């Protein structure tokens, strides 16, 4: 056996050992690596026996003399080590009444796992990835066969899927594969990694004749990964489909179960496969030298574990890839690292005779790409399931790692000791400050400075000579009279006897019990307590003391606060000297998870090092972002989103992000020029297929337009009724809902204006009367425009000119609109109005093209038509809402909100109250969500399916509308409420079919994409006359004002 084969066999054994440790950790909930390794060792590698040891009723933590503390640093240990911390050392006890059942279930599970591994050589970790990959492919194929119509769907228009300029290309989620997109995009945007993948080209012999299972799996995967990366570089599509790469991964294993893949597990396995693939290439290209694997060079580093065990020192060097960090109990990344780098009693490291144990980790070699796994899941023993940790954890854009380097260990130890001393002193100061801020010995405590102030105010109050009780008794009325201010005696409370009541008297009244008036304080009693006996000398001395004491307390409090601030600042700057900022790592990517432990959605924030800005990669959506948005979504503590993986790169290693240059011309290579010839041809072929889609779409549209023109030319024009002839130049909104309706409405306004003009004008010529009538109509409409009516009376619906005036339309637009009103053919019913109509028509014909911009004129009238249409959507939606027809109401309110938002973007008075529409749209979704949840809880198959149809076809597609505007906190809170409602089912027992449906549905609900897809056709609107529209709008708005708005 060669040395290489021996090393490979040893490495494989170590990986299997790490897999067994991961299984033990997952089954038992125990995170202490020592305990797990000892149990595995005592059981001679038998997992079933190891679980029995760990879950036995009398199981104890192995004694220190029996445990080998430094077994975390076994020679040649797998690079995916679990680095422990002080925050996670408890052994989870899973014993209970059902211990036997639990152990039997575990035994069966482990027996099945071991048998599967013996038969196939495939580990459980690999099977887990296989399960999710098959689920992803199945979901993608099943989505093509769905029969239920989607409210939102990918537009068939290929132009909607066309890449804009040099915008980054997204990745399609082919079913629970958001984790794939987040990891692949993060790696793709490392230019050095991209170059390695694109230029991967093993010898033909390896491709033609794979020598083992790894080559049979890895080579096709690398081929598809190259194709995928090439499309991300040069595709003309907005996003590409990664199904081929996912299919290769799926084909590598055999499993049928489905679950959502964990990012860290996938990244581990992906780097494993990449390392194996590049190892093949490295071995083929070596020339008598030890082959170098670029994946190892890029992603793997080394650290030195230095420690003592019962006074005996040890040192071990280990390789690591992704570095795991505990989150719980820490506020920032440096605190996590400090805890991970120090274990046990570190004081013992400097003592030869100490019986305590401890160890430190020091980085000896950092990889160019340093990845931190943030452990945000813990096992809840009470509930028997994992839970996500939502605590806030801050991390910097630039991370200096000098303090963790082995070469700086001496100065770091000194600084750590100093920080420890400062923190101890800080604790003392904070305790002292707390005594000032929370003074007293009872359950309620107050700031001492306030206590002294209260005492001063009491002492300075005006003294009273009698007690409050005496004062009240002295104010009692004479015998025989009862007033409402007198506190009743016991006899009065029991009711006076007849002998006590004097004979009838005009001033006598029976006793009436009035608890509120009878307990009223007498007017001469002070409104606050005050000392009854105090001399001027006493008061002077007391005031002097209290003033002095208060000043002293204020000074002491201020000094303590300033000292605490100085210590915080000193600790903050402890590592800021020049010698400790020589190893900078820049944040390259943040992988974010939103949801709970069992389900959720992943996306990535990736830094564009050349444009110097953050980008958000959320499946097919790639958008510009900011550090502020990244902080909000990644730090945690806000909603259910938090960072799960941090990828830093060495800021001094520019080759990681450096563009390629042409060796001959020296020019920078961009886009397709960076691709090898075979990949360039592959991308060109795909772009040709997409261009063909565009051409076919254009041809289809052109054919439709030609057919419509042909149909229009063959359709005979019907003459308009004589009672309402159509005028060609009349705005289209006058034809909604019928031409005669609005003309009739405007006709009445015109006739009134003409009649009033005839009474005011002596000159009865048609032109003079028309001008006067237009002025009167203009004045009437101006008054309506300047009025401030209640919400139910919207004068903009009465006339377009009111809308124009409120939105400062040009005067020429308003004048032409009024001329058209008086030139309407409906005024031809008598000779007088007919003459005025003809004058108005002549005036219209005399208007020159350069006097009124007809395009602008039509634009204003089109906007008014949109406003009336939006009003109808809103009105019908609210009517359905009041009838509790929430499904019908939702679509109307969605269109009302979208149209209204577009109107308001042009001006404040161009639409309706946005908050009103937003509120009822939000309420519709919340009520439908509750209804769907109730159907799901029923357990009936038909009801459950109906509930999921409501969620998939109505609610889930609408969530991007609520998330797109980050300033709408109520909308974001509503989305969180709906998601939490469904996530609450994760810990509940339910039928397997319900669990399967929930697992399939939750990733869609938790998808945070804010990309709004195309609407289906809008709902049809009923036909309303202007009078009916105004009346119904007023009625619905009045009913809303009488109904509580649930928090509006």
């Amino acid at each position: 056996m060669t040395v290489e084969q021996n090393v490979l066999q040893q490495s494989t054994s170590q990986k299997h050992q790490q897999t067994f440790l991961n299984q033990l950790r997952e089954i038992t909930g125990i995170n202490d690596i020592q305990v797990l390794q000892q149990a595995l060792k005592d059981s001679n590698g038998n997992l079933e026996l190891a679980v029995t040891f760990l879950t036995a009723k009398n199981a104890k933590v192995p004694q220190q003399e029996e445990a080998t503390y430094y077994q975390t640093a076994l020679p040649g240990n797998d690079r995916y080590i679990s680095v422990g911390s002080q925050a996670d050392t408890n052994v989870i006890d899973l014993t209970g009444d059902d211990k036997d059942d639990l152990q039997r279930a575990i035994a069966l599970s482990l027996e099945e796992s071991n048998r599967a591994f013996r038969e196939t050589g495939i580990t459980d970790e690999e099977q887990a990835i296989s399960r999710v990959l098959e689920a992803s492919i199945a979901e993608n194929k099943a989505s093509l066969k769905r029969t239920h119509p989607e409210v939102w769907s990918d537009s068939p228009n290929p132009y909607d899927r066309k890449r804009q300029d040099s915008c980054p290309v997204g990745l399609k989620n082919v079913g629970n594969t958001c984790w794939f997109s987040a990891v692949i995009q993060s790696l793709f945007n490392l230019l050095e990694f991209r170059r390695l993948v694109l230029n991967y080209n093993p010898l033909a012999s390896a491709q033609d004749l794979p020598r083992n299972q790894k080559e049979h799996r890895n080579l096709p995967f690398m081929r598809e990964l190259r194709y995928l990366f090439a499309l991300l570089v040069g595709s003309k599509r907005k996003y590409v489909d990664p199904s081929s790469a996912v299919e290769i991964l799926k084909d590598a294993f055999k499993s049928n179960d489905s679950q959502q893949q964990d990012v860290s597990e996938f990244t581990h396995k992906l780097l494993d496969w990449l390392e194996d693939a590049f190892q093949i290439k490295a071995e083929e290209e070596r020339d008598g030298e030890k082959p170098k694997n670029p994946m190892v060079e890029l992603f793997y580093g080394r650290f030195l574990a230095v420690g003592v065990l019962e006074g005996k020192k040890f040192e071990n060097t280990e390789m690591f890839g992704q570095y795991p960090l505990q989150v719980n109990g820490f506020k920032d990344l440096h605190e996590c690292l400090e805890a991970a780098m120090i274990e046990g009693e570190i004081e013992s490291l400097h003592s030869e005779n100490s019986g305590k144990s401890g160890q430190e980790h020091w980085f000896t070699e950092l990889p160019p790409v340093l990845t931190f796994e943030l452990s945000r899941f813990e096992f809840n023993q009470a509930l028997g399931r994992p839970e996500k940790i939502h605590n806030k954890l801050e991390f910097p854009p630039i991370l200096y790692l000098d303090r963790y380097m082995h070469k700086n260990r001496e100065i770091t130890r000194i600084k750590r000791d100093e920080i420890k001393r400062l923190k101890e002193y800080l604790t003392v100061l904070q305790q002292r400050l707390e005594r000032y801020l929370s003074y007293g010995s009872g359950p309620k405590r107050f700031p001492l400075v306030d206590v002294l102030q209260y005492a001063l105010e009491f002492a300075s109050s005006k003294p009273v000579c009698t007690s409050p009780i005496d004062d009240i008794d002295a104010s009692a009325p004479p015998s025989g009279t009862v007033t409402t201010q007198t506190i009743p005696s016991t006899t009065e409370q029991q009711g006076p006897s007849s002998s006590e009541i004097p004979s009838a008297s005009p001033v006598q009244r029976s006793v009436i019990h009035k608890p509120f008036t009878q307990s009223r304080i007498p007017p001469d009693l002070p409104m606050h307590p005050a000392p009854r006996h105090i001399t001027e000398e006493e008061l002077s001395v007391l005031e002097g003391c209290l003033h002095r004491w208060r000043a002293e307390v204020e000074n002491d409090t201020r000094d303590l606060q300033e000292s605490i601030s100085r210590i915080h600042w000193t600790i903050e700057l402890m590592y800021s000297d020049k010698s400790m900022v020589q190893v900078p790592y820049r944040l390259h990517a943040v992988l974010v998870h939103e949801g709970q432990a069992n389900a959720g959605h992943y996306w990535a924030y990736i830094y564009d090092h050349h444009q110097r800005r953050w980008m958000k990669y959320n499946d097919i959506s790639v958008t510009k972002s900011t550090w502020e948005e990244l902080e909000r979504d990644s730090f945690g503590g806000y909603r259910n989103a938090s960072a799960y993986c941090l990828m830093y790169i060495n800021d001094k290693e520019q080759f990681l992000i450096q563009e390629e240059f042409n060796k001959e011309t020296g020019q920078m290579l961009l886009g397709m020029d960076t691709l090898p010839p075979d990949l360039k041809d592959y991308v060109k072929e795909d772009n040709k297929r997409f261009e063909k889609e565009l051409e076919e779409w254009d041809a289809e549209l052109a054919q439709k337009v030609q057919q419509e023109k042909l149909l229009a030319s063959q359709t005979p024009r019907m003459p308009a009724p004589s009672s309402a002839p159509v005028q060609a130049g009349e705005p289209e909104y006058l034809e909604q809902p019928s031409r005669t309706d609005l003309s009739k409405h405007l006709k009445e306004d015109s006739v009134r204006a003409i009649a009033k003009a005839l009474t005011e004008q002596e000159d009865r010529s048609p032109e003079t009367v028309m001008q006067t009538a237009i002025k009167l109509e203009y004045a009437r409409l101006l008054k309506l425009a300047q009025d401030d009516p209640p919400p139910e009376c919207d004068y903009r619906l009465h006339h377009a000119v009111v809308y124009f005036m409120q939105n400062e339309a040009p005067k020429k637009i308003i004048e032409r609109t009024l001329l058209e009103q008086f030139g309407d053919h409906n005024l031809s019913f008598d000779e007088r109005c007919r003459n005025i109509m003809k004058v108005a028509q002549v005036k219209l014909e005399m208007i020159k093209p350069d006097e009124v911009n007809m395009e602008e004129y039509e634009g204003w009238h089109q906007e008014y038509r949109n406003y009336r249409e939006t009003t109808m959507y809103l009105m019908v939606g609210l009517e359905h809402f009041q009838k509790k027809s929430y499904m019908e109401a939702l679509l109307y309110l969605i269109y009302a909100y979208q149209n209204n938002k577009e109107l308001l973007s042009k001006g404040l008075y161009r639409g309706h109250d946005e908050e009103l529409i937003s509120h009822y749209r939000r309420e519709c979704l919340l009520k439908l969500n509750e209804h769907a949840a109730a159907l799901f809880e029923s357990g009936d198959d038909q009801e459950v399916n109906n509930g999921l149809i409501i969620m998939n076809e109505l609610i889930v597609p609408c969530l991007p509308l609520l998330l797109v505007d980050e300033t709408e906190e109520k909308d974001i809170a509503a989305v969180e409420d709906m998601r939490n409602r469904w996530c609450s089912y994760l810990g509940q027992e339910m039928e397997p079919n319900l669990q399967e449906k929930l697992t399939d549905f939750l990733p869609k609900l938790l998808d945070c994409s804010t990309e709004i897809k195309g609407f289906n056709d809008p709902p049809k609107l009923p036909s309303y006359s202007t009078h009916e529209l105004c009346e119904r709008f007023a009625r619905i708005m009045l009913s809303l004002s009488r109904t509580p708005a649930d928090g509006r």
Side-chain angles (χ1 to χ4, degrees):
M1 181 181 291
T2 65
V3 175
E4 289 85 352
Q5 290 173 330
N6 188 20
V7 171
L8 180 61
Q9 184 177 5
Q10 185 180 7
S11 175
T12 303
S13 174
Q14 291 161 1
K15 289 182 181 180
H16 290 162
Q17 181 191 19
Q18 186 63 33
T19 300
F20 296 154
L21 290 174
N22 291 338
Q23 287 180 333
L24 283 175
R25 184 187 294 110
E26 183 177 354
I27 293 170
T28 65
I30 298 174
N31 290 299
D32 192 326
I33 195 69
Q34 302 168 239
V35 177
L36 297 176
Q37 286 180 329
Q38 186 63 36
L40 196 60
K41 180 180 178 182
D42 294 344
S43 63
N44 293 322
N46 186 315
L47 287 182
E48 181 182 350
L49 191 57
V51 172
T52 304
F53 290 160
L54 292 170
T55 58
K57 183 172 292 186
N58 298 321
K60 297 179 180 179
V61 180
Q63 300 297 319
Q64 287 290 349
E65 61 266 24
E66 297 174 359
T68 307
Y69 185 78
Y70 49 86
Q71 279 189 345
T72 55
L74 285 172
N77 191 16
D78 185 68
R79 50 185 160 273
Y80 303 135
I81 62 163
S82 175
V83 181
S85 76
Q86 297 169 349
D88 202 1
T89 57
N90 295 328
V91 177
I92 307 298
D93 183 11
L94 294 178
T95 61
D97 296 335
D98 58 345
K99 185 190 76 171
D100 294 338
D101 293 338
L102 172 65
Q103 291 191 352
R104 277 197 298 272
I106 292 171
L108 287 173
S109 174
L110 293 176
E111 183 179 353
E112 181 66 25
S113 298
N114 290 333
R115 186 171 66 250
F117 177 72
R118 288 193 300 267
E119 293 174 356
T120 65
I122 300 172
T123 66
D124 281 356
E125 184 180 8
E126 293 169 334
Q127 290 178 4
I129 292 196
S130 172
R131 286 195 293 271
V132 72
L133 292 169
E134 291 194 354
S136 300
I137 299 299
E139 169 67 18
N140 189 38
K141 292 178 178 178
S143 65
L144 301 176
K145 301 178 182 179
R146 288 177 183 160
T147 56
H148 299 297
E150 300 284 349
V151 178
W152 318 103
S153 57
D154 284 333
S155 173
N157 185 349
Y159 285 97
D160 294 338
R161 294 180 271 113
K162 185 178 180 181
R163 183 179 182 181
Q164 300 298 320
D165 301 325
S166 59
C167 179
V169 178
L171 283 174
K172 185 177 181 181
N173 188 335
V174 294
N176 291 346
T177 57
C178 48
W179 47 271
F180 179 88
S181 174
V183 174
I184 290 297
Q185 291 281 23
S186 301
L187 294 173
F188 171 79
N189 281 278
L190 281 172
L191 298 189
E192 177 64 12
F193 181 85
R194 184 193 303 180
R195 284 190 287 269
L196 288 170
V197 171
L198 292 175
N199 294 306
Y200 180 84
N201 188 22
L203 297 179
S205 59
Q207 298 186 56
D208 296 338
L209 297 171
R211 292 170 293 185
N212 51 46
Q213 183 183 358
K214 285 186 178 180
E215 289 188 7
H216 185 75
R217 174 194 67 196
N218 293 334
L219 294 176
F221 170 70
M222 285 302 301
R223 181 181 64 250
E224 292 301 332
L225 188 62
R226 290 181 72 237
Y227 288 157
L228 182 60
F229 272 33
L231 290 174
L232 291 175
V233 169
S235 178
K236 293 185 177 180
R237 303 175 190 268
K238 181 180 178 181
Y239 56 87
V240 295
D241 190 334
S243 294
S244 296
V246 173
E247 190 82 44
I248 291 294
L249 292 172
K250 185 266 300 184
D251 287 341
F253 311 104
K254 305 298 178 186
S255 178
N256 295 318
D257 298 335
S258 66
Q259 66 183 59
Q260 191 174 39
Q261 185 59 37
D262 179 88
V263 161
S264 63
E265 291 181 26
F266 170 70
T267 310
H268 279 316
K269 188 52 62 178
L270 177 65
L271 293 180
D272 238 359
W273 291 349
L274 289 168
E275 180 190 346
D276 291 341
F278 277 91
Q279 188 65 29
I280 297 171
K281 183 179 180 182
E283 289 176 356
E284 290 176 345
E285 294 176 352
R286 69 175 176 176
D287 187 15
E289 297 180 0
K290 183 179 179 181
K292 288 187 176 181
N293 191 314
M295 291 295 109
V296 176
E297 300 287 328
L298 202 58
F299 293 102
Y300 297 111
R302 287 180 173 80
F303 70 82
L304 181 69
V306 182
V308 293
L309 179 63
E310 299 177 357
K312 296 180 181 179
K313 290 187 177 182
F314 67 86
E315 287 189 4
N316 286 287
T317 300
E318 298 187 28
M319 181 178 285
F320 69 92
Q322 291 178 274
Y323 203 83
L325 296 174
Q326 295 294 324
V327 169
N328 210 6
F330 307 112
K331 70 175 184 179
D332 59 43
L333 188 60
H334 275 300
E335 285 193 2
C336 296
L337 277 166
E338 287 284 351
M341 304 298 277
I342 304 173
E343 295 182 13
E345 300 289 336
I346 62 171
E347 292 89 347
S348 62
L349 294 173
H350 313 295
S351 172
E352 290 287 345
N353 301 319
S354 172
K356 298 180 179 179
S357 300
Q359 66 172 308
E360 294 175 337
H361 292 172
W362 299 99
F363 291 129
T364 57
E365 182 183 339
L366 286 172
V369 181
L370 177 58
T371 305
F372 294 112
E373 292 178 18
L374 302 183
S375 178
R376 283 196 170 271
F377 299 101
E378 63 181 0
F379 189 82
N380 186 316
Q381 182 181 358
L383 298 178
R385 68 168 187 263
E387 287 187 338
K388 185 177 178 183
I389 302 170
H390 295 295
N391 299 354
K392 183 177 182 180
L393 183 80
E394 299 180 0
F395 47 84
I398 299 291
L399 180 68
Y400 292 99
L401 294 170
D402 303 74
R403 69 184 82 171
Y404 311 109
M405 300 302 295
H406 184 252
K407 64 181 180 181
N408 297 324
R409 63 188 182 282
E410 296 303 329
I411 187 172
T412 299
R413 284 169 177 166
I414 294 172
K415 288 181 180 292
R416 283 175 178 170
D417 290 340
E418 178 65 14
I419 288 175
K420 182 180 180 181
R421 186 188 65 80
L422 287 173
K423 285 186 175 180
E424 290 173 351
Y425 183 45
L426 185 64
T427 302
V428 174
L429 292 180
Q430 289 171 334
Q431 289 173 349
R432 290 181 184 175
L433 179 62
E434 184 64 20
R435 296 191 189 105
Y436 282 93
L437 298 180
S438 299
Y439 186 80
S441 57
K444 291 186 177 180
R445 304 192 176 199
F446 304 92
L448 180 54
V449 69
D450 291 345
V451 173
L452 294 171
Q453 179 64 28
Y454 300 152
L456 181 60
E457 291 173 1
F458 174 78
S460 304
S461 300
K462 183 180 179 181
V464 179
C465 296
T466 58
S467 72
I469 299 176
D470 294 338
D471 191 25
I472 292 174
D473 291 341
S475 65
S479 178
T481 65
V482 178
T483 69
T484 59
Q485 291 183 349
T486 305
I487 297 178
S489 65
T490 306
T491 307
E492 287 172 334
Q493 292 171 354
Q494 294 172 351
S497 63
S498 58
S499 61
E500 292 173 338
I501 302 176
S503 58
S505 170
V507 296
Q508 182 176 354
R509 293 181 292 178
S510 61
V511 176
I512 302 174
H513 181 65
K514 298 181 178 179
F516 295 106
T517 56
Q518 288 172 347
S519 61
R520 192 173 298 152
I521 299 173
D524 56 343
L525 188 67
M527 295 305 294
H528 53 79
R532 282 182 285 164
H533 303 289
I534 187 169
T535 65
E536 290 294 331
E537 292 79 12
E538 290 173 334
L539 180 60
S540 177
V541 172
L542 187 56
E543 284 183 339
C545 290
L546 289 172
H547 275 298
R548 185 176 71 253
W549 294 340
R550 189 173 186 274
E552 291 172 356
V553 170
E554 286 178 339
N555 290 334
D556 291 346
T557 303
R558 184 168 54 252
D559 290 344
L560 284 169
Q561 290 172 334
E562 290 176 355
S563 297
I564 290 172
S565 297
R566 282 196 300 271
I567 292 176
H568 277 301
W569 186 244
T570 302
I571 293 174
E572 190 74 22
L573 297 178
M574 186 64 69
Y575 293 101
S576 61
D577 52 291
K578 189 175 180 180
S579 63
M580 302 301 283
V581 290
Q582 299 301 310
V583 187
Y585 269 70
R586 181 177 295 276
L587 187 61
H588 166 70
V590 180
L591 277 62
V592 180
H593 175 270
E594 181 175 44
Q596 303 300 328
N598 295 42
H601 177 67
Y602 293 99
W603 69 93
Y605 289 101
I606 303 173
Y607 189 66
D608 186 329
H609 299 270
H610 298 283
Q611 298 293 332
R612 297 185 180 277
R613 68 186 179 202
W614 285 96
M615 301 292 291
K616 182 178 181 179
Y617 289 78
N618 193 345
D619 291 335
I620 66 172
S621 172
V622 183
T623 56
K624 295 178 184 177
S625 186
T626 62
W627 176 256
E628 290 71 28
E629 182 185 3
L630 184 152
E631 277 186 343
R632 190 196 65 232
D633 286 350
S634 305
F635 281 7
Y638 175 76
R639 298 193 289 176
N640 289 332
S642 54
Y644 193 67
C645 186
L646 305 177
M647 190 178 290
Y648 282 88
I649 62 173
N650 192 324
D651 205 30
K652 293 184 177 181
E653 301 285 358
Q654 290 301 308
F655 77 95
L656 293 170
I657 55 174
Q658 197 167 25
E659 297 283 1
E660 280 188 273
F661 291 87
N662 189 301
K663 295 179 181 179
E664 297 178 358
T665 63
Q667 292 183 339
M668 184 185 295
L669 299 177
L670 297 173
M672 295 282 283
D673 294 335
T674 63
L675 300 179
D678 62 321
L679 294 182
K680 192 178 295 185
D681 293 339
Y682 177 80
V683 175
K684 285 180 179 179
E685 287 298 319
D686 184 75
N687 286 339
K688 284 181 181 178
R689 287 193 292 270
F690 185 63
E691 288 171 357
K692 187 176 180 181
E693 283 188 57
L694 296 172
E695 291 172 1
E696 291 174 351
W697 176 263
D698 291 338
E700 185 178 344
L701 281 184
Q703 186 178 1
K704 286 183 179 179
V705 171
Q706 190 65 29
Q707 290 175 348
E708 289 173 0
K709 287 182 179 179
L710 183 62
L711 186 63
S713 64
Q714 294 175 351
T715 303
R717 295 188 178 183
M718 299 298 293
S722 58
S723 60
V726 178
Q727 183 177 340
E730 190 153 14
E732 188 182 342
Y733 75 87
L734 295 179
E735 299 177 12
Q736 291 184 348
S738 69
R739 169 68 183 84
T740 56
D741 161 55
L742 280 174
S743 297
K744 180 180 178 182
H745 174 70
L746 296 176
K747 169 188 165 185
E748 294 171 357
D749 294 339
S750 303
V751 169
R752 278 195 296 268
I754 291 171
K756 191 173 181 181
L758 288 170
T759 61
E760 293 183 1
Q761 280 291 338
E762 294 181 2
D763 184 358
R764 299 295 183 88
S765 64
E767 185 170 354
T768 304
V769 173
M770 184 203 70
Q771 290 176 351
T772 305
I774 288 178
K775 289 179 182 179
L776 291 170
E777 181 70 353
Y778 180 87
R780 181 182 74 86
L781 297 175
L782 180 62
K783 185 176 183 302
L784 293 179
Q786 294 173 341
D787 201 359
D788 187 19
E792 65 270 12
C793 188
D794 192 338
Y795 291 134
R796 293 172 296 179
L797 294 174
H798 291 240
H799 204 295
V801 169
V802 177
Y803 182 87
F804 295 162
M805 288 176 172
Q806 289 189 355
N807 292 290
E808 301 179 351
K811 188 177 180 181
K812 293 287 186 183
I813 303 293
I814 297 174
E815 289 176 352
R816 182 178 177 91
T817 303
L818 288 172
L819 268 177
E820 289 190 342
Q821 176 181 331
F822 284 90
D824 188 86
H825 287 282
N826 274 316
L827 292 179
S828 60
F829 61 91
D830 66 17
E831 189 64 28
R832 180 185 58 188
C833 291
R834 188 181 302 113
N835 291 334
I836 293 173
M837 177 196 72
K838 290 179 179 178
V839 172
Q841 290 176 348
V842 171
K843 292 279 187 184
L844 284 170
E845 292 175 358
M846 292 173 62
I847 296 176
K848 297 178 181 178
D850 58 344
E851 292 181 0
V852 177
N853 186 331
M854 289 306 296
E855 185 176 343
E856 182 183 15
Y857 176 82
E858 291 297 337
W860 275 97
H861 282 277
Q862 178 60 48
E863 185 178 306
Y864 183 64
R865 290 194 290 273
N866 295 342
Y867 168 74
R868 284 175 63 93
E869 186 178 78
T870 301
T871 303
M872 293 181 195
Y873 281 131
L874 172 60
M875 182 183 70
V876 175
L878 292 176
E879 288 174 347
H880 281 303
F881 184 89
Q882 290 201 329
K883 296 174 185 176
K884 298 185 179 180
S885 302
Y886 301 122
M887 290 188 192
E888 293 81 359
L890 180 60
L891 201 53
Y892 283 100
L893 291 173
I894 285 173
Y895 272 92
Y897 185 88
Q898 294 301 109
N899 292 0
N900 192 67
K901 193 175 186 69
E902 186 177 344
L903 289 170
L904 291 178
S905 66
K906 301 176 183 177
L908 181 62
Y909 299 105
R910 302 202 182 201
H912 293 282
D913 180 6
E914 187 172 32
E915 187 180 349
L916 172 81
I917 309 175
S918 175
H919 170 78
Y920 284 99
R921 179 186 65 165
R922 187 166 57 245
E923 284 298 308
C924 260
L925 287 167
L926 287 170
K927 291 183 182 297
L928 284 173
N929 186 72
E930 278 303 309
H931 177 58
L935 293 175
F936 183 81
E937 290 173 359
S938 70
D940 180 75
D941 285 345
Q942 186 61 41
E943 298 291 302
V944 168
N945 289 335
N946 290 339
L948 292 177
I949 288 173
I950 291 174
M951 296 302 297
N952 285 319
E953 298 186 359
L954 290 177
I955 294 180
V956 170
C958 293
L959 295 186
L961 295 172
L962 274 65
L963 293 172
V964 70
D965 189 351
E966 297 169 357
T967 61
E968 292 292 337
E969 295 182 359
K970 292 181 181 178
D971 284 350
I972 293 175
V975 173
E976 286 304 303
D977 288 344
M978 289 186 275
R979 287 173 171 171
N980 289 337
R981 181 77 166 85
W982 289 88
C983 285
S984 66
Y985 295 133
L986 288 173
Q988 301 180 17
E989 293 185 3
M990 61 180 69
E991 295 295 327
N993 65 319
L994 292 183
Q995 184 67 50
E996 183 181 352
K997 291 178 179 178
L998 182 65
T999 304
D1000 175 66
F1001 159 69
L1002 272 180
K1004 304 171 190 174
L1005 181 66
L1006 296 172
D1007 186 353
C1008 296
S1009 173
T1010 55
E1011 181 173 359
I1012 301 172
K1013 300 180 181 179
F1015 287 90
N1016 276 357
D1017 292 337
K1020 293 185 178 180
L1021 290 168
S1023 177
Y1024 295 119
S1025 67
T1026 299
H1027 176 73
E1028 186 181 8
L1029 176 62
C1030 295
E1031 188 180 66
R1032 294 186 68 161
F1033 183 77
R1035 190 185 309 127
I1036 192 68
M1037 295 302 289
L1038 273 171
S1039 67
L1040 294 183
S1041 65
R1042 293 192 295 267
T1043 305
D1046 298 334
R1048 269 196 65 245

